[in-house]
Amino acid sequence: MPDSAIRPRKEFGKTIAADITHRLREEIVTCGLAPGEPLRFDVLRERFGASFTTLREALTALAAEGLVDAQEQRGFRVAPVSRQDLVEVTDARVLIEVELIRRAIQKGDDDWEIAVISTLHRLKRIEQRDPEHPLRDPEWKIAHRQFHQALVSACGSATLLAIRAELFDRAERYRHLSANFRPRPRDKAGEHQAIMQAAISRNADLAVPLIETHIRTTADNVAKYAGHLLETE
Amino acid sequence: MPDSAIRPRKEFGKTIAADITHRLREEIVTCGLAPGEPLRFDVLRERFGASFTTLREALTALAAEGLVDAQEQRGFRVAPVSRQDLVEVTDARVLIEVELIRRAIQKGDDDWEIAVISTLHRLKRIEQRDPEHPLRDPEWKIAHRQFHQALVSACGSATLLAIRAELFDRAERYRHLSANFRPRPRDKAGEHQAIMQAAISRNADLAVPLIETHIRTTADNVAKYAGHLLETE
DNA sequence: CGGACTCTGATTTTCGAAAATAGTAGCGAT
DNA sequence: ATCGCTACTATTTTCGAAAATCAGAGTCCG
């Protein structure tokens, strides 16, 4: 019987390193650790309660994902943000996500349809609770991620899904960056509903432009409302 | 004045960890470490002369690249190969490389043209030396990589270039896997020449199908001549 | 005989001390 | 005053011992 006294941490993985990786990724994506911020071992050690080596392993993994910038012999820092990077991430997401939605629409079975419908349903329920600030609600964030994940999950390529997931995280960081400055959320609920319907009715030619617009509009809003944060670096 | 007595290793990076990562990647890509082979720390420690922790960091980084398979609490192993994985890597490469060659052809400047021409020239020179077994020549391998890298280098997206590089390595491992069983190399030189000419003359509609065929033919040959190695897992 | 349990040896995972390196301030010479 | 050198401090990077975990053999009981 595992109990919390014996197993004080490790919520998201069997090893402490995997757990720290998960928690650090979360902090970086939500901008709890600011872009460009140096990641000093003393500080991390105190915050996460792990040793140098374990932290180093987590940071190395996140560096490979593009969320952390490793400067050899000079430590790590949160990957900086920039207009250029936002454009690249957005472009890459469109390229890959569009292809994946096509494949998923072609290959998806009943379970796929159920996953798409049910994840959207949950997302809408959460939005009803707090329609003003969805991004600040961690549950909304998870549900939103799961809906988009479900949409492409039937594409048949674990390789492309992994790449997609990395790009999604990098984009989500920009969304969080602008969340505090955005005056009012746009009608994301309607967009999600339209995407779901196009997908379920197997209308790829409709779903593709909807997805593309969805991604690009989000990025445009980031550039519009958080542009002042993207200048340096 | 740096000398080799003071700095015994670290050929490819400022830190030992980065160096080990590089060397391990090389060994895995060239199948010096066989697919699926367990990576035990005692063995690696002896082979690479680094400590547990440093090795662990390198393995973690390679796991994020898809060349190593991390089994939590049960160590690491070289990522297994499979028909499915080969198909996924090939598909992903076509999707991304085709897009990048389009962008490079549109954006490439004089320096890009020079890089494409000169890397192809070097590749051809090396092929003249040993026309029979190019893949066994490490110099050919490097030149080949650099030619393909040069072709897309002007695409303007560091993000997509990094993804492309990872997929290239994963594909190269399959090429090495089949190299020992392939009866005779096909006319790669001619294909490279045609791709170069299409690119330099800015004929994207010609270059794209050439690249796609180039990638798919390579993968087909792997499946044909190394198919017996792809069954398990 | 079979299933659950425990013990044991092998292996991975984690830790903090020790070594290596970068950054900085102080000093002296031109 | 400026440049170059040196010593010092802050920080990262590496190491091997110690703890945790797993896999397999053996044991006990139903």
Side-chain angles (χ1 to χ4, degrees):
Chain A
M1 185 203 300
D3 68 67
S4 56
I6 287 177
R7 195 188 50 138
R9 17 188 199 277
K10 293 203 240 183
E11 299 186 16
F12 301 108
K14 292 185 104 181
T15 67
I16 294 181
D19 188 51
I20 303 271
T21 304
H22 187 109
R23 286 165 57 194
L24 254 173
R25 177 168 33 233
E26 217 48 30
E27 294 257 7
I28 292 172
V29 165
T30 58
C31 295
L33 291 166
E37 184 175 340
L39 296 166
R40 296 232 174 71
F41 283 101
D42 319 359
V43 182
L44 297 176
R45 207 140 169 276
E46 194 177 357
R47 195 200 281 232
F48 292 98
S51 73
F52 296 107
T53 330
T54 307
L55 287 165
R56 183 156 244 279
E57 187 183 333
L59 289 170
T60 305
L62 292 172
E65 292 180 26
L67 288 175
V68 158
D69 187 19
Q71 309 162 286
E72 290 193 342
Q73 306 285 24
R74 280 185 291 152
F76 298 81
R77 59 174 179 165
V78 180
V81 293
S82 69
R83 235 173 252 280
Q84 166 72 8
D85 185 63
L86 174 59
V87 169
E88 288 190 15
V89 170
T90 305
D91 268 14
R93 283 190 71 205
V94 168
L95 173 67
I96 288 167
E97 200 115 5
V98 156
E99 174 70 13
L100 294 198
I101 196 81
R102 274 222 175 78
R103 295 191 193 180
I105 284 176
Q106 195 213 319
K107 294 189 177 182
D109 56 6
D110 288 354
D111 289 342
W112 171 71
E113 294 192 3
I114 290 167
V116 171
I117 292 170
S118 60
T119 51
L120 176 60
H121 182 75
R122 179 177 305 149
L123 182 60
K124 281 156 78 173
R125 270 289 148 80
I126 292 172
E127 277 168 350
Q128 287 172 357
R129 292 199 320 229
D130 178 12
E132 290 305 313
H133 304 294
L135 247 183
R136 300 202 188 144
D137 183 345
E139 279 193 69
W140 183 89
K141 212 193 67 182
I142 293 169
H144 181 242
R145 177 189 307 240
Q146 286 178 342
F147 169 64
H148 279 284
Q149 159 74 24
L151 269 174
V152 293
S153 60
C155 74
S157 172
T159 299
L160 284 170
L161 281 176
I163 294 169
R164 190 208 78 95
E166 276 187 20
L167 293 170
F168 189 91
D169 280 343
R170 286 172 64 181
E172 187 153 286
R173 192 162 67 116
Y174 283 99
R175 290 197 286 277
H176 276 274
L177 201 63
S178 71
N180 294 328
F181 303 97
R182 197 173 318 181
R184 222 172 182 299
R186 71 177 196 278
D187 184 25
K188 273 204 166 187
E191 292 180 35
H192 289 141
Q193 174 74 25
I195 292 169
M196 181 277 276
Q197 279 170 347
I200 296 303
S201 55
R202 312 285 173 156
N203 189 341
D205 292 336
L206 176 58
V208 161
L210 286 176
I211 285 276
E212 173 158 3
T213 303
H214 189 72
I215 294 173
R216 292 205 189 277
T217 308
T218 303
D220 288 348
N221 276 331
V222 171
K224 190 171 167 188
Y225 296 117
H228 58 292
L229 300 174
L230 301 178
E231 291 314 327
T232 53
E233 205 73 36
Chain B
M1 185 202 302
D3 69 66
S4 56
I6 286 176
R7 194 187 50 138
R9 16 185 200 279
K10 293 203 239 181
E11 298 186 17
F12 301 109
K14 292 185 104 179
T15 66
I16 293 181
D19 188 50
I20 302 272
T21 305
H22 188 109
R23 286 165 56 193
L24 254 173
R25 176 169 32 232
E26 216 49 29
E27 294 257 8
I28 293 172
V29 165
T30 59
C31 294
L33 291 165
E37 184 175 341
L39 296 166
R40 296 233 173 71
F41 282 102
D42 320 0
V43 182
L44 296 177
R45 206 138 169 279
E46 194 176 358
R47 195 200 280 232
F48 292 99
S51 72
F52 296 108
T53 329
T54 307
L55 287 165
R56 182 157 246 278
E57 187 184 332
L59 290 170
T60 304
L62 292 171
E65 291 180 28
L67 288 174
V68 158
D69 186 19
Q71 308 162 285
E72 290 194 341
Q73 306 285 25
R74 279 187 291 151
F76 298 82
R77 59 175 179 166
V78 180
V81 293
S82 69
R83 237 172 251 280
Q84 167 72 10
D85 186 62
L86 174 59
V87 169
E88 288 191 14
V89 169
T90 306
D91 268 14
R93 282 191 73 206
V94 168
L95 173 67
I96 288 167
E97 201 115 4
V98 156
E99 173 70 14
L100 294 198
I101 196 83
R102 274 221 175 80
R103 295 190 192 181
I105 285 175
Q106 196 214 319
K107 294 189 177 183
D109 56 7
D110 289 354
D111 289 341
W112 170 70
E113 294 192 4
I114 291 167
V116 171
I117 291 170
S118 59
T119 52
L120 176 61
H121 181 75
R122 179 177 305 148
L123 182 61
K124 281 156 77 173
R125 270 289 149 81
I126 292 172
E127 277 168 351
Q128 287 172 358
R129 292 198 320 229
D130 179 12
E132 291 304 313
H133 304 292
L135 246 183
R136 300 205 186 143
D137 184 344
E139 278 192 68
W140 183 89
K141 212 193 69 182
I142 293 168
H144 182 242
R145 178 188 305 239
Q146 286 178 341
F147 169 64
H148 280 283
Q149 160 75 24
L151 269 174
V152 294
S153 59
C155 74
S157 171
T159 299
L160 283 169
L161 282 175
I163 294 169
R164 190 207 78 95
E166 276 187 20
L167 292 169
F168 189 92
D169 281 343
R170 286 171 64 180
E172 187 153 286
R173 190 162 68 117
Y174 283 98
R175 290 198 285 277
H176 277 273
L177 201 63
S178 70
N180 294 328
F181 303 98
R182 198 172 317 181
R184 223 172 181 300
R186 70 177 197 278
D187 184 25
K188 272 203 167 187
E191 293 181 34
H192 289 141
Q193 175 74 26
I195 290 168
M196 181 276 277
Q197 280 171 346
I200 296 302
S201 56
R202 311 286 172 156
N203 190 342
D205 292 335
L206 176 57
V208 161
L210 287 176
I211 284 276
E212 172 157 3
T213 302
H214 188 71
I215 293 172
R216 292 204 190 276
T217 308
T218 304
D220 288 347
N221 276 331
V222 171
K224 189 169 167 189
Y225 296 116
H228 57 292
L229 300 174
L230 302 178
E231 291 314 328
T232 54
E233 205 73 36

